[in-house]
Amino acid sequence: MAGDRSAERVRAQVPTSSDTHGRRAHRKLLTAGLVGSSIEWYDFFLYGTAAALVFPHIFFPGSSPFVATLLSFSTFWAGFVARPVGGLIAGHYGDKYGRKPAVVVSLFVMGACTFLIGCLPTAGAIGVAAPVLLVLLRFAQGLACGGQWGGIVLLLTESASPKRRGFSGTFGQMGVSFGVLLGNLIFVGTSSSVSNEAFLSWGWRIPFLLSAVLFPVVYFIQTRVEDSPEFKELERQVAAGKEVVPQAPLLEAIKGSWRTILLGCGLLAATNALFYISIAGVLSYATAALDMNRNELLTMSMLSCLISVPVVAWSGWMSDRIGRRPLIMVGAVGIVVWAFPYFWLVNTANLTAFFVAVTVGSIFQSMTYGPVAAYMGELFAPNVRYSGASLAYQLAAITISGGTPFIMTALIEETGTTTVVAVFVALMGVITFASAWRLRETNPASVRSDPQALPGLAHAV
């Protein structure tokens, strides 16, 4: 009898072909999520680098340097204005018809719009029509970006085992750092290969045209990746009459979870503000006001992003073990403390000091960003999850992300100092800490210690 039980335990520990297939399929999904989100964010952030360093010269040549920079950053902001709209549209269809279809459409639109920006005539060729077309394409980029985040992170986290959702979600979050890294690498490589005149004439187009590599990724996801098991289970529950998908998932999410949506938006305040200052606002400031070398700054930004990748992965992994809130709150406190030293170091106009400023800031903001993918989804019920999580995430985009470089430039011009910008960043850190403090833990000790328990809504606000 004892020998029979021992044999049963041994057989239970041997992976079945189904288990092996499941793990292989999940690894394939993690890879597709990382590659797809990296290229998607490459497309979106590439615009920010160009808005800081190129677009003022070729789309607003008749304006003063200050006005041209503001106008360029205002077109950058247009993408963030569109992101909530894209999130609402994708969330509606993603909750009703599946995560994968919404992701595929979003990725395709992003690749097409970025490629077309690379084909745009400049203001010197077609006048005012050039910046108008630029804004329209940037708006469409924002729609696509707003739709893809929720879909990718839900595919990743809903397909993961309950105890690995935090880590799995980081494969969508790490795409942000890889996107910036790829964008800066190609931008530096292109600008270093040709003269400044040639770069402003045609070289700047190359990074945008390279976005065509996103299309094979879209095809792979469409043909080789399945929708999440949790959404498939929801479909089965709906077919059996045990569950209902609202006709308007967004309205249902707002009606039942509007406080959670606003607090979810607040979770991203600190990381978004410091991130967009580092990849756009401070690049413009350091080149224009401090006369620092553009390519050297981009190189430092690339190295900083490279360091942030393992921090994002580690923070998601740790959130599976100690909970989502602790990582977010520690990162938020770090951003508050670092806000003033950040700008003191940048203002030295020393390249090493600049690198230290953006890298330490990147570590703190990555700690808050890593767990958000799993945390945000767990705050909402499956039938409104795409809509609720996307709305919270994209509200932060329109209220904080897109406007931060513009606000930074205007504040420095008005006050002649970066002190007010540091105060702004510290305030964002306080908002993130307060939001995490108010939200309850979705992965508490009682869930982490129970192999059968699922992190999620029962433990949220």
Side-chain angles (χ1 to χ4, degrees):
M1 183 71 70
D4 291 342
R5 285 196 297 269
S6 177
E8 288 175 4
R9 284 196 298 270
V10 170
R11 284 193 295 271
Q13 293 171 359
V14 175
T16 66
S17 60
S18 176
D19 293 335
T20 302
H21 173 75
R23 286 195 295 269
R24 188 178 299 127
H26 190 62
R27 286 196 296 269
K28 181 171 64 177
L29 174 60
L30 292 178
T31 302
L34 178 61
V35 174
S37 64
S38 296
I39 301 174
E40 171 96 358
W41 286 115
Y42 160 83
D43 288 355
F44 194 75
F45 293 140
L46 178 65
Y47 191 103
T49 305
L53 304 176
V54 177
F55 289 168
H57 305 286
I58 63 175
F59 286 105
F60 307 101
S63 304
S64 68
F66 167 65
V67 172
T69 300
L70 283 183
L71 290 172
S72 183
F73 279 147
S74 69
T75 69
F76 179 65
W77 202 347
F80 292 88
V81 172
R83 276 173 57 173
V85 180
L88 300 185
I89 295 171
H92 175 83
Y93 289 101
D95 280 329
K96 291 176 73 71
Y97 305 113
R99 318 315 192 193
K100 190 181 85 170
V103 169
V104 167
V105 172
S106 297
L107 292 176
F108 179 82
V109 172
M110 175 62 84
C113 291
T114 307
F115 185 86
L116 289 174
I117 289 175
C119 300
L120 270 183
T122 64
I126 60 173
V128 72
V132 170
L133 291 172
L134 180 68
V135 170
L136 290 176
L137 288 173
R138 178 59 177 173
F139 190 85
Q141 268 193 330
L143 292 176
C145 185
Q148 70 85 18
W149 181 83
I152 284 182
V153 300
L154 291 184
L155 273 176
L156 292 170
T157 57
E158 290 182 344
S159 300
S161 65
K163 306 306 180 185
R164 292 178 60 84
R165 286 181 177 176
F167 178 68
S168 295
T170 64
F171 281 76
Q173 306 294 72
M174 286 187 289
V176 172
S177 296
F178 280 122
V180 175
L181 181 64
L182 285 171
N184 286 351
L185 183 63
I186 294 174
F187 218 86
V188 169
T190 304
S191 62
S192 300
S193 302
V194 298
S195 67
N196 189 60
E197 292 75 18
F199 183 71
L200 292 177
S201 175
W202 56 268
W204 67 271
R205 299 180 185 277
I206 294 174
F208 287 89
L209 297 176
L210 287 176
S211 66
V213 300
L214 184 58
F215 297 126
V217 179
V218 174
Y219 179 77
F220 177 85
I221 294 175
Q222 173 63 25
T223 58
R224 304 291 296 276
V225 171
E226 298 180 0
D227 220 319
S228 74
E230 195 160 342
F231 181 79
K232 290 181 178 180
E233 177 60 27
L234 175 63
E235 285 187 314
R236 286 191 288 269
Q237 295 288 331
V238 170
K242 299 178 180 178
E243 183 61 82
V244 176
V245 175
Q247 286 297 109
L250 173 65
L251 295 179
E252 188 70 20
I254 293 174
K255 179 181 177 181
S257 306
W258 64 269
R259 291 184 182 86
T260 303
I261 290 171
L262 292 179
L263 291 170
C265 171
L267 287 177
L268 293 154
T271 184
N272 284 11
L274 190 57
F275 179 76
Y276 285 99
I277 282 175
S278 296
I279 70 163
V282 80
L283 293 179
S284 175
Y285 170 70
T287 52
L290 304 178
D291 199 29
M292 297 180 71
N293 181 272
R294 175 185 65 193
N295 285 351
E296 290 179 346
L297 292 173
L298 289 174
T299 301
M300 294 301 100
S301 180
M302 284 190 290
L303 293 174
S304 175
C305 285
L306 196 59
I307 292 171
S308 73
V309 169
V311 180
V312 170
W314 171 82
S315 64
W317 178 80
M318 282 298 295
S319 78
D320 287 327
R321 284 151 181 79
I322 66 172
R324 317 298 186 207
R325 294 168 70 235
L327 279 302
I328 295 172
M329 294 167 75
V330 170
V333 170
I335 289 173
V336 173
V337 173
W338 191 246
F340 291 91
Y342 179 98
F343 286 100
W344 295 338
L345 290 169
V346 168
N347 284 327
T348 64
N350 177 275
L351 195 62
T352 301
F354 179 92
F355 174 71
V356 172
V358 297
T359 300
V360 174
S362 176
I363 290 171
F364 288 133
Q365 61 98 191
S366 296
M367 287 180 64
T368 71
Y369 192 62
V372 164
Y375 193 28
M376 201 77 83
E378 290 166 355
L379 292 171
F380 299 94
N383 61 347
V384 296
R385 182 172 291 157
Y386 201 145
S387 296
S390 292
L391 180 57
Y393 190 92
Q394 303 310 336
L395 276 178
I398 190 173
T399 56
I400 299 164
S401 305
T404 293
F406 182 96
I407 292 169
M408 175 181 171
T409 302
L411 287 174
I412 293 174
E413 178 69 17
E414 180 68 24
T415 65
T417 177
T418 57
T419 301
V420 180
V421 184
V423 172
F424 170 76
V425 172
L427 177 61
M428 295 300 104
V430 172
I431 291 174
T432 291
F433 184 89
S435 297
W437 181 272
R438 176 63 184 87
L439 286 165
R440 296 181 183 177
E441 178 60 65
T442 60
N443 190 29
S446 59
V447 169
R448 299 194 300 271
S449 61
D450 183 352
Q452 303 301 319
L454 298 177
L457 185 66
H459 307 279
V461 166

